Amino acid sequence: MTIKNLTPHSVNIIAEDGSLTASFPSEGIARATQQAECAGRLGDVEVVSMKFGEPVDLPAPSQDTFLIVSVITLNAARETGRQIGDLLLTADPVRNDEGQIIGCRRLATQDPDGFYCNQSEHCEDCKFQGSNCFGQHSSNQ
């Protein structure tokens, strides 16, 4: 199993005791296209309505590979019909004494069908048989 971080910064997983559980350096940046339209002004500051479109530099799902991405990238992928079981978000941020985020406690999935948990031995009766199955399983199967 491989976890690749496609955000522009390292992702550190920090345990409750403050120890570093895992660290994932950036291996590229997956994004979504965006288009800004002026919505108005607040004094001298322009306010825009931001529209997000297609994912950019997001690889296709690959067996045994998970990708840490931003929520904007995950939502763009979902909107275009891409499977998102291999896409992970950071969850439960950990902050230092100055309030800056230094890591997170865990990773999260937003796939309602579960994430690719590498349990391909359970694929005999898998509802994801065929090209959509990478050992993806959840409790609702």
Side-chain angles (χ1 to χ4, degrees):
M1 173 197 60
T2 302
I3 300 174
K4 292 184 178 182
N5 174 12
L6 297 182
T7 69
H9 48 79
S10 291
V11 171
N12 298 314
I13 310 297
I14 301 174
E16 290 291 333
D17 67 3
S19 64
L20 183 66
T21 302
S23 184
F24 303 98
S26 177
E27 295 187 48
I29 303 171
R31 297 200 178 275
T33 60
Q34 56 188 23
Q35 181 178 356
E37 294 181 18
C38 184
R41 300 192 74 77
L42 292 174
D44 293 334
V45 178
E46 181 182 23
V47 177
V48 297
S49 172
M50 190 66 67
K51 309 281 189 227
F52 295 97
E54 301 278 324
V56 176
D57 296 327
L58 180 64
S62 177
Q63 187 160 352
D64 295 328
T65 300
F66 296 90
L67 306 172
I68 302 171
V69 297
S70 71
V71 70
I72 292 171
T73 302
L74 185 144
N75 287 337
R78 181 186 0 243
E79 289 298 315
T80 61
R82 183 195 186 279
Q83 293 178 329
I84 60 168
D86 63 324
L87 303 182
L88 300 171
L89 304 172
T90 59
D92 303 324
V94 176
R95 299 177 186 273
N96 65 15
D97 292 338
E98 288 78 43
Q100 300 163 323
I101 295 176
I102 58 170
C104 62
R105 295 273 183 238
R106 60 201 76 182
L107 298 173
T109 180
Q110 286 197 343
D111 190 336
D113 292 319
F115 69 104
Y116 302 142
C117 62
N118 194 23
Q119 295 182 6
S120 56
E121 67 273 10
H122 297 140
C123 286
E124 186 174 312
D125 297 320
C126 179
K127 68 180 178 181
F128 302 101
Q129 282 294 333
S131 63
N132 292 332
C133 180
F134 293 105
Q136 177 180 3
H137 302 276
S138 71
S139 59
N140 63 4
Q141 179 165 305

